[in-house]
Amino acid sequence: MRLSGKTKTLKVEEPRAVPGRPRNPETQNGILRAAEEILVVEGYRGLTIEGLAARAGVGKTTIYRRWKSVAEIVSDLLDAANSAWPMPQVHSDSITEDLRTLSRNWISGMSGAGRIIPILIAEGVQNPELAALLHKRFILPRRQLAIAMIDRAKERGEVSKSADSQSAIDMFMGRMWYRQLVTGERVTVEDEEKVISILLKGMQVK
């Protein structure tokens, strides 16, 4: 499957606060990049402290001084993904443009900082703690921002006041995730024009 867009490298703006001497942010970033590589190549089950230390070229104690568990490492990876792949803060006067921006942001992110997300989603099916972490730190905040796009369109009178904003976003984003995770079909910007048109017809003012 091919996704169009620019690839971004995960970066951490602030190292995790820990007691003792200051930690080298380059070492921290290098470990997180290694963790991302392991997730992409080997999957979540391959992300162990031993394997991470070997790939990053550091000792296990270097990792344990920064993180107590794999869960904490994944938490920082999600923060880094959010930083490298921020949700668009759109404030246009057109829901069509807002949805286009949301779609293009998703396509771009999935070929870059977001490439670890499908791997974590898949593991989350059998790992409730990981699923809860992913939902809290990544999915829910983004979903709320997307729902707000529809709510603003309702306030402007672009779509019906009775439109279900949550269901609309679930349908719009769900289609892209379905292709990403299930069918493997290519997701393109041009293709989303059809989806936007169908979605807005269902929410039009009557």
Side-chain angles (χ1 to χ4, degrees):
M1 170 172 44
R2 296 175 298 169
L3 295 176
S4 59
K6 298 181 179 178
T7 299
K8 294 184 179 179
T9 301
L10 294 182
K11 296 180 180 178
V12 176
E13 296 180 356
E14 295 288 342
R16 179 183 289 274
V18 292
R21 65 183 183 181
R23 306 305 182 190
N24 186 339
E26 287 303 315
T27 300
Q28 177 121 342
N29 290 341
I31 294 171
L32 288 176
R33 284 193 295 269
E36 179 194 5
E37 292 168 2
I38 291 175
L39 281 175
V40 172
V41 175
E42 303 180 35
Y44 182 83
R45 305 296 174 90
L47 184 56
T48 64
I49 299 299
E50 292 77 9
L52 179 56
R55 182 175 286 264
V58 300
K60 289 192 294 184
T61 55
T62 300
I63 295 175
Y64 280 121
R65 280 200 297 266
R66 292 164 172 80
W67 301 279
K68 295 179 181 179
S69 65
V70 169
E72 286 192 357
I73 295 171
V74 170
S75 180
D76 275 3
L77 282 174
L78 289 174
D79 288 345
N82 273 319
S83 177
W85 176 27
M87 270 287 284
Q89 301 291 327
V90 295
H91 296 288
S92 74
D93 294 326
S94 168
I95 185 57
T96 299
E97 288 302 316
D98 288 352
L99 291 174
R100 284 174 182 161
T101 299
L102 182 60
S103 175
R104 293 166 188 173
N105 173 267
W106 185 90
I107 292 172
S108 175
M110 288 304 296
S111 64
R115 62 183 182 155
I116 66 171
I117 303 303
I119 298 165
L120 297 177
I121 290 176
E123 176 64 23
V125 173
Q126 296 182 320
N127 187 331
E129 291 184 4
L130 175 62
L133 175 64
L134 181 61
H135 184 263
K136 177 181 178 181
R137 301 297 287 269
F138 190 86
I139 294 175
L140 181 59
R142 288 169 173 261
R143 184 169 184 265
Q144 291 174 332
L145 288 173
I147 289 171
M149 294 180 182
I150 306 296
D151 288 339
R152 287 195 296 270
K154 290 165 66 174
E155 293 172 0
R156 295 193 299 265
E158 279 192 280
V159 301
S160 172
K161 292 287 186 182
S162 63
D164 185 337
S165 301
Q166 296 187 40
S167 294
I169 286 301
D170 288 346
M171 292 172 66
F172 183 67
M173 299 302 298
R175 176 182 177 277
M176 290 189 282
W177 281 112
Y178 181 75
R179 285 197 168 191
Q180 169 74 18
L181 296 171
V182 181
T183 70
E185 293 179 72
R186 185 183 181 196
V187 182
T188 66
V189 170
E190 294 76 17
D191 192 43
E192 292 310 314
E193 292 297 321
K194 295 182 292 185
V195 181
I196 292 173
S197 176
I198 293 172
L199 185 66
L200 293 183
K201 284 180 181 178
M203 296 192 296
Q204 63 186 355
V205 178
K206 299 179 180 179

